[in-house]
Amino acid sequence: MGLRMLVLPVLLGLFYGASDINCSAVRGNTTNHRSLLDFKGAIRADPRGALSSWNENIHYCMWSGIKCSTWHPERVTVLNLANLSLTGQITPSLGNLTFLRELKLSNNLLSGQLPPFNRLIRLRVLYLHDNLLQGSIPNALTNCSELVGLDLSSNMLVGSIPQNIGSLSNLVGIDLSNNSLTGNIPPTFGNNTYLEELRLTHNQLKGRIPEDLGKLPNMGRNRAVFLGQNRLSGRVPTTLFNLSKLIILDLSTNKLRGTLPYDIGNLSVSVQWLLLGANNLSGTVPPSIGALKNLTVLDLGGNNFVGPIPYSIGNLANLQRLYLSNNHFDGW
């Protein structure tokens, strides 16, 4: 739909402002130094010369893309080499940077397996999206208990989402979209009480949508749930319509069935996108849908709805796009 993450980009800068400095000493932490050089050695192409400063004449805390800690001198806290067209692999040695809080390698051409990073217990932001990463998401990644933002979207990842994903209790935003992930949506997502954005679109996920996604005590702060373009089945959990501050709900292009709740108009007054198209939904469209006064996009097309189109849809003054085709409405 053209939207990028609502939450993840704003997380940067919240944690590193005054706590990171560049080192000026010549000597440094041996483990950190060797881990970075090992990573550099796995980069086969660096067309922009991003790693040209990564040499023995310059302290590694002054290398491009590196920041080190104020309180723990010569310990790397930030590695940011995003958008540099780097070709190579992400080496497991980066898991030795145990003070790392931010790892951004997105928008490159990095391939191979995703290292487990189970020792990065201080890591808060992990952005590896838009690469060529393969294999499965390591279960050990959930040891990174401080993670706030996780973006692995637009890679070639396969396998299932770790079932213990709920142990990442500090997550605010997670994006696993545009991969080839299979299996069910883990019910343990219901433990991510601070979650504001969940993106799982364009995968091969199947099974039912967990009821617990709409039962979280703090889920009223949730802004967006993207589950479209999968193979999800069953009924739409009524609990999803209890998210009081939801902005976007995308369940389109799945195999969902059943009817819409008669009180769908009680869905968040903040909701702007309601995408339910290309499913197997049936029954009538409740007139209460006209109470969603902030809707800008409403997609109900490609289902089995019957009966009249509610006149109340005409009350949606902010509506910009309306999709109702390929149903069985009266008079169509």
Side-chain angles (χ1 to χ4, degrees), residues 5-53:
M5 297 295 284
L6 297 175
V7 176
L8 297 187
V10 302
L11 297 174
L12 301 179
L14 295 180
F15 311 104
Y16 315 111
S19 62
D20 296 304
I21 59 171
N22 287 328
C23 301
S24 58
V26 174
R27 300 178 60 186
N29 181 277
T30 302
T31 300
N32 280 223
H33 187 202
R34 289 178 177 175
S35 297
L36 293 172
L37 288 178
D38 186 55
F39 170 72
K40 180 185 178 181
I43 299 300
R44 301 189 303 273
D46 176 16
R48 302 185 185 182
L51 304 182
S52 60
S53 65

Side-chain angles (χ1 to χ4, degrees), residues 154-172:
S154 299
N155 278 287
M156 303 167 65
L157 299 174
V158 298
S160 59
I161 300 172
Q163 290 298 308
N164 58 344
I165 194 78
S167 64
L168 299 176
S169 57
N170 293 305
L171 269 183
V172 175

Side-chain angles (χ1 to χ4, degrees), residues 245-263:
K245 295 184 180 179
L246 192 68
I247 295 176
I248 297 173
L249 178 60
D250 178 8
L251 307 180
S252 62
T253 317
N254 279 291
K255 300 179 180 180
L256 300 171
R257 59 181 175 83
T259 60
L260 298 180
Y262 73 92
D263 57 351

Side-chain angles (χ1 to χ4, degrees), residues 1 7 14 28 32 42 51 54 67 103 106 149 174 199 231 254 258 276 294 297 305:
M1 287 291 181
V7 176
L14 295 180
N32 280 223
L51 304 182
W54 288 38
K67 290 185 180 180
L103 177 56
S106 54
I174 179 170
R199 283 182 180 254
R231 300 174 182 176
N254 279 291
L276 303 175
N294 288 311
V297 180
F305 290 119

